[in-house]
């Protein structure tokens, strides 16, 4: 840690010792607190007035972001510098949203593939592009997992309005495959195989399964090729395969890729107009994040609050409570975005980190959560932080009720409730949280929100000096699964780990 960074870190530790022992009601809120601890970016408001901090903490956190030149690093990232050193790659998801500062070469490439994608989607939607049967498509079956699935399902669910039905198949268990295929007619089904690497086993297994299903149901081996779209960065593998191909630039990471050709199912389900608004919203947030000073920068503030809670107030989990029905899949999406990006213990210099990195990210759709796990939030023993996602837009009184609930839960998690003589009725409170309020729930606002979280993640990567764009930790499990799979299908195959080998031998007879 550079000396000035270490000094600010020590100062934050001193400040935190006071805040850890302060009771929630000692945070007497003055009217200007709301002015000082809220910021708005074009209809998206961030309110961190219910966090366990004061002016001194905020100043030191901002000093920390300035000491590491956080904004300049974001600008260099946007401009296409290598920010993913372990894979020697830039991170250019922002270029897909047409950031003027992005590298020209990549931008040109993107412009061409973007126009091609739009044209293809328009033709599918209008019925001009058909499958082997000559009839218009009614359904889309999307095969893909992780970053090639979560954002797509979230956005299709949030904004879907076209005539096409979308079905997602991510993991390859037979039950899932059966469920996905049961209602589909191959003659009217467009199959999308989305995989950045085009080597992910679950996606490949599903591709194989769906190919067989197509051949069986149609009696034709070539039928699928007219109904097939492949999306990947792996151009050489795609070259030998049938179907329509879209290429995703290597510099666009899987969990940051829904804006690219990977967003085809979204484009098909929400239509070109909303898809444009989605990208415009994300671009708007990009422009804000790359230019606004730290104290009024939504992504930097969100990252600094996460750092304060994780590293100084020792929270171990962060819950995302979505009081916007359209965003019911947001917690799962953020789980991958934040935990795959920031679940790291080695710095970009290859040294062990000296502090915690990301907390567990979890959450759910509200108000269902209130009738399930909020008891834990209010009277459990763990400390956590939270983001409340709510909307001021209301079409019915029930929407107002939902907003009231979000504000109530936000208030109680911080202030608790201590006026009862019965100890089982008291609530400790003291859990810091941020309210993210959307004026409107539409494509633009959702684009802004997802981009905000992407930039929060990048900022935390820079603040913790870790690489938020790689994911080496998941590789070992894949190699092991391959070896164990071999032992499960070929009983003579011996595993080098004795205990594991014995365990497999015990399981083998039960497979019958
Ligand atoms: O295993 C993790 C992961 O590599 C994610 O990073 C990625 O989003 C997902 O698998 C799917 O990968 P692909 O798009 O290459 O199939």
């Amino acid at each position: 840690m550079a000396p000035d960074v270490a000094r600010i870190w020590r100062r934050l530790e001193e400040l935190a010792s006071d805040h850890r022992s302060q009771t929630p009601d000692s945070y007497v809120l003055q009217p200007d607190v709301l002015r000082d601890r809220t910021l708005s970016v074009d209809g998206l408001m961030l309110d961190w007035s219910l966090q366990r901090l004061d002016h001194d903490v905020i100043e030191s956190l901002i000093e920390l972001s300035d000491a590491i030149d956080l904004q300049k690093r974001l600008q260099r990232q946007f401009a296409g510098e290598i920010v993913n050193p372990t894979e020697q790659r830039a991170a250019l998801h922002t270029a897909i949203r047409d950031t003027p500062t992005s590298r020209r070469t990549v931008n040109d490439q993107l412009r061409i593939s973007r126009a091609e994608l739009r044209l293809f989607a328009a033709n599918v939607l209008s019925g001009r592009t058909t499958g082997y049967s000559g009839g218009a498509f009614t359904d889309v079956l999307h095969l893909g997992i992780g970053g090639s699935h979560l954002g797509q399902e979230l956005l299709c669910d949030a904004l879907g309005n076209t005539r096409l039905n979308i079905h997602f198949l991510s993991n390859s268990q037979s039950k899932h495959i059966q469920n996905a295929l049961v209602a589909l007619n191959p003659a009217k089904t467009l199959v999308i195989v989305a995989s950045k690497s085009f080597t992910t086993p679950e996606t490949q297994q599903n591709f194989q399964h769906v190919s067989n299903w197509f051949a069986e149901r149609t009696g034709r081996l070539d039928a699928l090729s007219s109904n097939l779209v492949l999306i990947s960065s792996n151009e050489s593998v795609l070259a030998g395969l049938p179907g329509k191909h879209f290429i995703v630039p290597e510099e666009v990471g899987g969990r940051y890729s829904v804006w690219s050709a990977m967003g085809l199912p979204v484009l098909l389900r929400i239509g070109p107009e909303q898809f444009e608004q989605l990208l415009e919203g994300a671009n708007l947030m990009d422009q804000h994040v790359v230019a606004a000073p730290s104290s009024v920068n939504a992504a930097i503030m969100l990252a600094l609050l996460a750092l304060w809670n994780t590293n100084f107030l020792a929270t171990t989990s962060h819950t995302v409570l979505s009081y916007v029905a359209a965003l019911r899949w947001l917690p799962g999406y953020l789980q991958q975005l934040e935990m795959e990006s920031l679940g790291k213990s080695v710095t970009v210099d290859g040294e062990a980190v000296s502090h915690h990195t990301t907390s567990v990210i979890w959450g759910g759709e509200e108000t269902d959560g209130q009738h399930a796990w909020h008891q834990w939030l209010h009277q459990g023993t763990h400390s956590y932080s939270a983001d409340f996602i709510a909307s001021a837009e209301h079409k019915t009184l029930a929407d107002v009720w939902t907003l009231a609930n979000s504000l109530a839960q936000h208030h109680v998690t911080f202030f608790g409730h201590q006026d009862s003589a019965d100890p089982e009725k008291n609530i400790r409170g003291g859990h810091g949280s941020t309210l993210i309020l959307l004026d409107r729930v539409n494509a633009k606002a959702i684009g802004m929100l997802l981009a905000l979280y992407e930039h929060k993640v990048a900022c935390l990567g820079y603040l913790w000096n870790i690489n938020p764009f790689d994911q080496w930790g998941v590789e070992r499990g894949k190699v092991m699964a391959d070896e164990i799979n071999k032992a499960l299908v070929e009983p003579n195959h011996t595993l080098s780990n004795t205990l594991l080998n014995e365990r497999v031998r015990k399981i083998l007879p039960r497979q019958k």
Side-chain angles (χ1 to χ4, degrees):
M1 223 183 247
D4 54 340
V5 173
R7 177 187 54 77
I8 304 166
W9 203 273
R10 277 196 303 277
R11 170 80 182 127
L12 283 163
E13 258 157 18
E14 278 164 30
L15 293 169
S17 64
D18 291 344
H19 287 278
R20 275 198 292 266
S21 55
Q22 266 189 47
T23 55
D25 53 8
S26 66
Y27 291 86
V28 179
L29 299 183
Q30 302 297 327
D32 62 351
V33 165
L34 261 190
R35 190 200 59 210
D36 293 347
R37 298 199 207 154
T38 57
L39 67 86
S40 288
V41 189
D42 214 334
L44 182 153
M45 186 183 81
L46 219 61
D47 170 351
W48 63 96
S49 57
L50 300 190
Q51 289 280 359
R52 295 179 76 102
L53 40 68
D54 58 16
H55 185 71
D56 291 346
V57 172
I58 295 174
E59 275 212 327
S60 295
L61 288 170
I62 288 170
E63 203 190 338
L64 182 68
S65 71
D66 292 341
I68 65 150
D69 269 339
L70 184 50
Q71 194 150 48
K72 286 216 178 74
R73 293 170 84 162
L74 287 169
Q75 285 163 0
R76 293 203 293 265
Q77 174 193 316
F78 278 42
E81 255 186 38
I82 303 264
V83 287
N84 173 359
T86 63
E87 294 173 301
Q88 278 299 298
R89 278 181 201 154
L92 283 173
H93 45 286
T94 49
I96 306 174
R97 281 109 65 151
D98 263 343
T99 306
T101 46
S102 56
R103 273 193 322 187
R104 215 183 126 61
T105 46
V106 177
N107 235 354
D108 283 346
Q109 223 184 65
L110 288 174
R111 246 191 303 275
I112 297 163
S113 52
R114 201 164 148 171
E116 223 188 294
L117 192 76
R118 304 282 188 282
L119 183 66
F120 178 77
N123 286 339
V124 171
L125 282 165
S126 69
R128 262 193 304 277
T129 292
T130 64
Y132 71 91
S133 69
F137 292 115
T138 55
D139 293 82
V140 177
L141 176 62
H142 179 273
L143 316 181
I145 197 163
S148 302
H149 158 234
L150 293 163
Q152 287 80 343
E153 186 156 22
L154 157 66
L155 291 167
C156 288
D157 185 65
L159 299 164
N161 70 354
T162 68
R163 61 170 189 84
L164 289 170
N165 303 308
I166 307 266
H167 313 263
F168 289 95
L169 187 48
S170 53
N171 85 53
S172 55
Q173 284 189 45
S174 44
K175 178 82 184 140
H176 288 268
I177 300 176
Q178 275 164 23
N179 287 351
L181 297 183
V182 74
L184 292 179
N185 172 359
K188 296 180 175 177
T189 303
L190 177 72
V191 177
I192 299 178
V193 187
S195 173
K196 186 171 178 205
S197 60
F198 225 76
T199 57
T200 303
E202 291 78 7
T203 305
Q204 291 306 316
Q205 286 161 17
N206 283 336
F207 185 18
Q208 187 57 55
H209 199 104
V210 170
S211 303
N212 296 343
W213 173 78
F214 239 85
E216 273 163 31
R217 287 283 302 267
T218 62
R220 286 172 52 178
L221 281 176
D222 64 339
L224 178 61
S225 62
S226 316
N227 292 37
L228 184 64
V229 177
L230 308 179
I231 311 171
S232 179
S233 297
N234 194 339
E235 288 189 62
S236 55
V237 170
L238 252 53
L241 296 172
K244 173 92 185 144
H245 300 172
F246 289 104
I247 303 298
V248 177
E250 277 291 4
E251 294 98 333
V252 177
R255 54 193 174 273
Y256 302 89
S257 69
V258 74
W259 324 97
S260 72
M262 286 288 182
L264 179 62
V266 182
L267 179 51
L268 290 169
R269 179 70 187 121
I270 75 174
E273 209 171 298
Q274 284 202 97
F275 196 74
E276 250 353 279
Q277 288 159 5
L278 184 79
L279 298 196
E280 271 166 29
N283 183 242
L284 215 142
M285 185 54 76
D286 296 344
Q287 299 310 323
H288 161 77
V289 166
V290 85
S294 301
S295 60
V296 289
N297 187 308
I300 293 181
M301 282 316 302
L302 212 51
L304 291 173
L305 293 169
L307 179 127
W308 170 245
N309 281 307
T310 309
N311 298 121
F312 299 98
L313 298 185
T315 55
T316 52
S317 82
H318 179 78
T319 176
V320 179
L321 302 101
S322 178
Y323 282 85
V324 176
L327 295 171
R328 66 182 171 142
W329 298 124
L330 183 69
Y333 171 79
L334 293 182
Q335 230 161 24
Q336 189 207 17
L337 179 64
E338 301 209 19
M339 291 168 82
E340 196 169 80
S341 302
L342 300 169
K344 311 277 165 72
S345 43
V346 171
T347 67
V348 286
D349 310 308
E351 281 159 18
V353 293
S354 54
H355 44 70
H356 276 304
T357 55
T358 193
S359 300
V360 173
I361 308 286
W362 63 288
E365 185 188 1
E366 307 304 323
T367 57
D368 296 271
Q370 289 177 204
H371 300 277
W373 40 271
H374 280 229
Q375 169 64 31
W376 182 94
L377 294 183
H378 296 312
Q379 291 189 319
T381 55
H382 290 273
S383 57
Y384 62 87
S385 58
D387 284 351
F388 287 82
I389 318 284
S391 170
E393 183 177 12
H394 61 276
K395 296 189 173 102
T396 63
L397 279 177
D399 294 337
V400 179
W401 169 246
T402 305
L403 177 61
N405 270 286
S406 68
L407 297 176
Q409 298 292 321
H410 187 213
H411 188 89
V412 176
T413 50
F414 188 72
F415 289 108
H417 186 73
Q418 292 92 10
D419 69 352
S420 174
D422 305 325
E424 69 278 10
K425 292 189 181 152
N426 284 329
I427 292 173
R428 182 165 53 99
H431 305 282
S433 62
T434 301
L435 172 69
I436 301 180
L437 188 75
L438 309 179
D439 282 358
R440 295 269 168 276
V441 181
N442 55 27
K444 180 185 133 200
I446 293 176
M448 288 178 71
L449 182 70
L450 299 193
L452 170 65
Y453 275 110
E454 286 180 348
H455 297 315
K456 169 200 172 184
V457 163
C459 290
L460 279 168
Y462 296 124
L463 285 160
W464 283 328
N465 198 26
I466 57 177
N467 180 352
F469 301 111
D470 65 7
Q471 61 283 323
W472 294 103
V474 297
E475 294 309 318
R476 182 65 194 147
K478 292 184 192 170
V479 174
M480 287 295 295
D482 218 35
E483 282 177 27
I484 296 169
N485 190 51
K486 231 178 243 157
L488 285 170
V489 292
E490 297 165 20
N492 294 332
H493 185 86
T494 308
L495 292 159
S496 54
N497 183 297
T498 332
L499 178 58
L500 188 56
N501 199 49
E502 270 179 41
R503 193 177 286 133
V504 168
R505 301 294 126 208
K506 270 194 145 178
I507 292 170
L508 270 176
R510 296 168 205 231
Q511 276 188 300
K512 304 232 161 60

